[in-house]
Each structure stands twice: as C-alpha cells, then as structure tokens.
Amino acid sequence: MTFSHHLKTSHPEHPFAETIRILGKGKKGSRALTKDEAYHAMKMILADEVLPVQLGAFLMLMRVKEETPEELAGFVLAARESCKLADDSALVDLDWATYAGKRRHLPWFLLSALLLAENGIKVFMHGSPGPSASRVYTQHCLTYLGLQVATTVEQAKKQLIDQHFSYLSLEKICPKLHEIIELRPILGLRSPVHTLVKLLNPFNAQYSIQGIFHPSYRSVHQQAAALLQQPHAAALKGEGGETERNPDMECLVQSVHNGVMCDETWPALFVHRHVRAESLEPEQLAMVWQGKIQDEFAEASIIGTTAITLKLLGKVGNQEQAQQLATDFWLQRDKKRFS
C-alpha cells in the first residue's frame, strides 16, 4: 500500500481543508470567504480544531490575498463570542485598540485617552507588546505614568468603574488570538489576526476607534464595522499605525454612524513638518502632562486626537467645536497626576 493510498483510506478529509481550498485554489479557482464561512473558520481556529500546518497555510493565504470586509466581520464575530464579554458593554464608552507600537514619536494618544477618562468617558484599551525592540508599546508606557496594567478581566472592569480607564492585554482577553499574533517572527509577516484584533471591541462598546498604517485598510475597517452593525466607529491613518492624529498632516477619518458611512478630512495643524525624536523616552509622557516640558508636536497630537474622538462620540457638532473642547480639556487637566 502506498503512503498516499494509506492517507486516503485512513484519514478522511479534515473539515478545515475546504476553507484552505477556497482561498488557495489558484488564480481562477480561489475566492474570498463569505462572512459566514469566515465566522466558522475562525470559530474552528479559536476552538483548536485545526492543525498547525492548516493554520499556517490559512494565515499566509489570507495575508497574500488581504482580508475583505466580509471576512473581517466574520472573524470578529467568532472572536467576540470567544471573549464572552459583550454582556458588560455598559462598562465601556469607547473601545481603543493599540497594537502597532511607536518608533518615530512617543504614544501621545495615550494621554488623549487619559484626558477623555478624566472627563468622564470610560475608555477600554487592549493591545499586545510586539516583537520589535525599536518600537515603544502602550503596555510598557503605562508604568511610566504610575498606572497599573490590568491582569484579569475582573480587574479591568473595576478600573473602568473607578478610574474610567483600563488597559488589558490580548493575552488575557483571548489567549488563542495572542498566540497567533506571536507567530509573526516565525512566519515573517503579519497575519489577518493583526487586523481582526483592532476591530475586536470585546466589550461590545457603542463607540470604537482604530488606527491603521496602510491607507487601503481604512475603508476596509469602515465597511467591516458597518457589517458588524457597530453603532459608531472610526478609522484613521494614525501616526505609526496607532490611533493618533499626526498634526503635521491632513487626516482622513472614515467612520460609520448607525449604518451611515462618512468620510471627513481634518486639516494639518502645522504648516511645517517636525523632525522625529532622536530617542523615545517614556518618562516624557508624564512630564508633558504635568507641564514640566513644552512640546508643541506632542500637545497638538494629544489635542487633535482627542478632538477626533469627541466628534466620534457625538459630544460636539463640528470640527471647530471638537478642537475647542479638546483644548479646554487639556488646559483644565489635573497637572498633579502621574507624578
């Protein structure tokens, strides 16, 4: 009996093989997954019902093809079910994903989120420290502000109630997704999971915001949010791929509000370009908040990012009002914090 004959007689086709066939059957034979197919594929992956070789093939086929909004929506639905946190949606006003890390500037958006929290908006951040030693990740910066990273879902819930802000790593929310993200140094490429987690919104908050690096993904996020019936969501090309407005450049924000998609361009806040920092020193996050050092790029980034978020949240009616309210928040902040 030949080896191939032994395989045919001893091992019926694995259920996940059909998913790989759909994606990989040549230029003319392959196609994208439907939303339902994507949902069932991710459900199998998260339940550990696929073999490692199948997972690798799936991730790379998806990476070459790039995800459609329908595929992303299906993946996210399966992942949210796995998280089992949607019943606690009232705890969170704004879901904020942070996975890219920063290498040109510090994560000033973190101070934007804390500024919102100081003004009563409950912000939930989730992320994952990446493998790059040249990037600064949000999780590591929190300690420089004297903030405790939540280590359990229950602790995150308590922090949201007590301080209107919490950061919980993906590893604590969905270990399997974290495990797949950790494959990047092995596979050599990002996988669709890097896109999925930005849309995860595990608590099913009414508002969510995501930063992307490649402009083509901005509309994919927007369309996927609409398919997910996310009430309010926004995607922007953020500095370094994070959810952060670069004040030196125009910023296109693509959003969805109760099924209606909207594109809005925010102007650059400076006529000149700022040079990147020679080194990233997380200690400066607290110093800028406390007013101990002046940094016009940092402050414009903080206020500008806050303004976009306030507009998303419906706290203001237009960009000018958003910029003014964000500026007021910044000028009235408690400078004694984070010492």
Side-chain angles (χ1 to χ4, degrees):
M1 181 184 295
T2 65
F3 179 69
S4 60
H5 180 69
H6 174 76
L7 283 176
K8 290 177 182 177
T9 56
S10 303
H11 299 282
E13 184 173 272
H14 192 285
F16 198 73
E18 177 61 18
T19 299
I20 297 172
R21 183 182 297 112
I22 290 170
L23 296 170
K25 202 175 180 181
K27 290 182 179 179
K28 294 184 179 179
S30 63
R31 63 170 174 83
L33 300 174
T34 66
K35 180 181 170 185
D36 191 54
E37 288 168 340
Y39 166 80
H40 287 291
M42 187 54 63
K43 201 170 174 79
M44 288 183 69
I45 290 169
L46 295 175
D48 269 332
E49 294 175 356
V50 303
L51 301 173
V53 67
Q54 292 177 315
L55 178 60
F58 170 79
L59 294 175
M60 291 301 95
L61 284 169
M62 285 295 307
R63 179 65 177 82
V64 171
K65 181 187 76 64
E66 295 190 353
E67 313 89 297
T68 66
E70 290 78 12
E71 288 170 331
L72 268 179
F75 294 156
V76 171
L77 285 173
R80 283 185 189 169
E81 281 185 15
S82 178
C83 295
K84 298 183 175 69
L85 295 175
D87 290 343
D88 293 303
S89 60
L91 288 172
V92 180
D93 294 321
L94 177 66
D95 181 85
W96 195 312
T98 167
Y99 289 87
K102 299 293 293 296
R103 64 182 180 84
R104 293 177 59 86
H105 299 279
L106 286 169
W108 300 116
F109 66 88
L110 180 53
L111 297 189
S112 299
L114 293 169
L115 193 61
L116 292 168
E118 186 174 77
N119 286 276
I121 297 162
K122 294 170 287 186
V123 181
F124 176 66
M125 274 192 174
H126 51 97
S128 180
S132 176
S134 63
R135 288 181 178 268
V136 173
Y137 293 92
T138 304
Q139 183 168 325
H140 297 146
C141 287
L142 288 168
T143 56
Y144 288 92
L145 293 166
L147 296 173
Q148 189 174 10
V149 174
T151 56
T152 65
V153 170
E154 291 307 314
Q155 186 182 11
K157 291 178 184 179
K158 187 175 188 306
Q159 288 179 343
L160 286 164
I161 294 168
D162 293 344
Q163 60 190 31
H164 295 162
F165 175 86
S166 183
Y167 174 97
L168 186 64
S169 74
L170 181 66
E171 185 178 11
K172 307 299 182 183
I173 300 168
C174 186
K176 187 63 181 179
L177 286 180
H178 172 76
E179 180 185 316
I180 295 171
I181 278 187
E182 291 292 292
L183 293 175
R184 185 185 179 185
I186 296 171
L187 296 172
L189 294 168
R190 289 177 178 266
S191 76
V193 170
H194 287 83
T195 308
L196 180 170
V197 291
K198 291 186 176 184
L199 287 155
L200 183 58
N201 188 5
F203 283 105
N204 199 28
Q206 293 285 295
Y207 297 85
S208 69
I209 192 165
Q210 302 107 38
I212 52 92
F213 183 78
H214 298 289
S216 61
Y217 273 94
R218 189 171 41 214
S219 62
V220 173
H221 279 251
Q222 180 191 37
Q223 294 171 60
L227 289 168
L228 288 163
Q229 298 183 325
Q230 173 69 34
H232 306 277
L236 62 138
K237 185 183 184 302
E239 205 290 312
E242 288 284 9
T243 307
E244 182 176 290
R245 181 179 174 186
N246 184 337
D248 289 347
M249 303 173 67
E250 274 190 352
C251 181
L252 173 61
V253 179
Q254 294 187 269
S255 58
V256 60
H257 298 277
N258 296 318
V260 178
M261 289 189 280
C262 173
D263 293 359
E264 183 177 28
T265 299
W266 294 68
L269 298 174
F270 296 107
V271 294
H272 60 279
R273 290 286 190 97
H274 291 78
V275 297
R276 63 181 293 178
E278 291 184 7
S279 61
L280 300 184
E281 301 173 10
E283 298 91 342
Q284 292 185 2
L285 289 165
M287 295 174 72
V288 167
W289 178 279
Q290 294 161 2
K292 292 180 179 178
I293 59 174
Q294 301 298 315
D295 185 324
E296 68 170 11
F297 178 91
E299 293 194 22
S301 180
I302 295 162
I303 293 169
T305 303
T306 303
I308 288 175
T309 309
L310 289 169
K311 180 78 161 37
L312 168 68
L313 291 164
K315 302 295 184 183
V316 291
N318 56 50
Q319 290 186 15
E320 292 74 19
Q321 291 171 352
Q323 193 72 16
Q324 185 58 57
L325 183 57
T327 301
D328 291 343
F329 279 2
W330 179 247
L331 294 176
Q332 295 164 14
R333 71 193 184 279
D334 180 2
K335 293 183 179 181
K336 295 180 181 178
R337 298 181 67 195
F338 314 129
S339 58

